[in-house]
Amino acid sequence: MVKQFKAKKLTIFLSLLLISTFVSCSKIDKETILSPNVTEDIKVEENEVKVTLEKGNSYLNDNDFANAKLTYEKATSIDKVNKDIYLQIKDKYLELTRFDDALYFVQLALNNNTDIDNMKIISDNIKSKFEITSIDKSLYEGESYTLPSELSTKINNENVSIPVTWNNSVINTSTAGTFSYLGTNKEYSRQFNATLTVVPPIVSAVVPPVVPPVVPPVVAPVIPSVVDEEHCYVKNIYKSNGKTYIDVDLVEFLRGNAALEGAIKDNNSKVGTNDDGSKFVPDSYYIRDNVHTQITYEVSQNSTFNLAEFHIYPNSSSNGTITVPVPYDRFESYIKSHINGDYRPNLCLIKFKNNVVYDVSYVYTP
């Protein structure tokens, strides 16, 4: 009986010793003890991830963004908790300034509970790079106005009209002042600002009656209109909620001596030197665009649109300085077909009254 008891104690001791030895093993020893195939399985999985990422990179380099995204998603599905996979994909997109695609995979990592604290910091950093579209509008007291339900912004370097949710969609113009509104789009993590300036209406002066014929009749003063014009690059033109809007980047179009002075002041590479040492700018014009700020204006329903004659009549001998009026649809088609690609920016002259555009004309540059 005593021998049996000692034998049991010895068996328990040896079992505990074996367990202790197993726990103290290295990762490689454990893999060897648990299964001879574990190490090989890990290597196969890592190689599959590597091959899939390289395939996604190839699609991305060929600008095949749809297949690149699908391939990268496959790579993350192989090892959902490997933070390095998400970070490599994110860096590839950031190299091409495709911030939205980069943010998508950072958010995918968060959804898979991977490196949460670090991914939140990266997510906020990417969102800070998104442009904030702003609109400015002047209104008279009592005038009705509705904030646009859609606005144009850049999504992966392309202008896209997206829905906007405003923090306060009710516009109260009963009191003069400047009022700010914040708009958001959660799907694309975008923000929009709207600044509305409400001014008192201009009331016609009341003239006391005058006994004729000593004093001629007095005509009530006409309400003045604020009229202005600016050169700009047209980024987009579109309709929303029955109204037309145009996105522009305002520029200075300088000619003659003003062009040369402006280019020299900006240290622009267009400035050349003649044989006698004097300076010049090609074609005697210079477009100054030092501040890249996109502004959205409302376009009047009665606005006129003008393109170069050779845009309409290919056989025209015009050098581009002659413009002809075109319907809105024709003008919109031209702008949208020249937004991307190798085309030069769409330089136009816009005229507006009380901050509403009533004329848009193409400006020819050699």
Side-chain angles (χ1 to χ4, degrees), residues 96-129:
L96 300 179
T97 65
R98 292 184 67 85
F99 300 126
D100 291 272
D101 285 337
L103 180 63
Y104 171 83
F105 282 94
V106 172
Q107 188 60 51
L108 190 59
L110 290 170
N111 294 341
N112 290 330
N113 296 317
T114 302
D115 197 17
I116 293 178
D117 292 339
N118 186 41
M119 291 297 177
K120 285 182 178 180
I121 295 173
I122 296 173
S123 174
D124 291 339
N125 181 261
I126 294 175
K127 291 176 183 178
S128 69
K129 300 178 185 298

Side-chain angles (χ1 to χ4, degrees), residues 188-200:
Y188 294 101
S189 301
R190 290 303 197 276
Q191 291 186 349
F192 302 87
N193 288 331
T195 302
L196 304 184
T197 303
V198 181
V199 297

Side-chain angles (χ1 to χ4, degrees), residues 68-171:
K69 188 174 184 180
L70 290 173
T71 308
Y72 284 148
E73 286 176 337
K74 181 180 177 181
T76 60
S77 69
I78 297 171
D79 190 356
K80 294 184 178 180
V81 296
N82 188 338
K83 68 177 182 179
D84 292 332
I85 298 176
Y86 299 100
L87 294 176
Q88 288 181 47
I89 297 171
K90 178 264 298 181
D91 290 340
K92 283 292 182 182
Y93 279 122
L94 290 182
E95 288 175 7
L96 300 179
T97 65
R98 292 184 67 85
F99 300 126
D100 291 272
D101 285 337
L103 180 63
Y104 171 83
F105 282 94
V106 172
Q107 188 60 51
L108 190 59
L110 290 170
N111 294 341
N112 290 330
N113 296 317
T114 302
D115 197 17
I116 293 178
D117 292 339
N118 186 41
M119 291 297 177
K120 285 182 178 180
I121 295 173
I122 296 173
S123 174
D124 291 339
N125 181 261
I126 294 175
K127 291 176 183 178
S128 69
K129 300 178 185 298
F130 292 154
E131 68 176 15
I132 299 178
T133 302
S134 299
I135 59 174
D136 296 281
K137 178 75 175 176
S138 295
L139 303 166
Y140 288 116
E141 282 185 12
E143 184 178 351
S144 61
Y145 179 71
T146 302
L147 289 168
S149 61
E150 290 186 359
L151 283 174
S152 177
T153 190
K154 282 191 178 297
I155 305 294
N156 282 325
N157 303 321
E158 295 183 4
N159 286 309
V160 179
S161 292
I162 61 175
V164 181
T165 300
W166 297 97
N167 62 338
N168 184 3
S169 59
V170 179
I171 307 301

Side-chain angles (χ1 to χ4, degrees), residues 33 36 47 99 148 150 153 233 254-255 326 332 348 358-360:
I33 292 171
N47 185 63
F99 300 126
E150 290 186 359
T153 190
Y233 288 139
L254 307 176
R255 281 156 288 193
V326 296
E332 180 191 41
C348 291
Y358 68 87
D359 184 89
V360 187

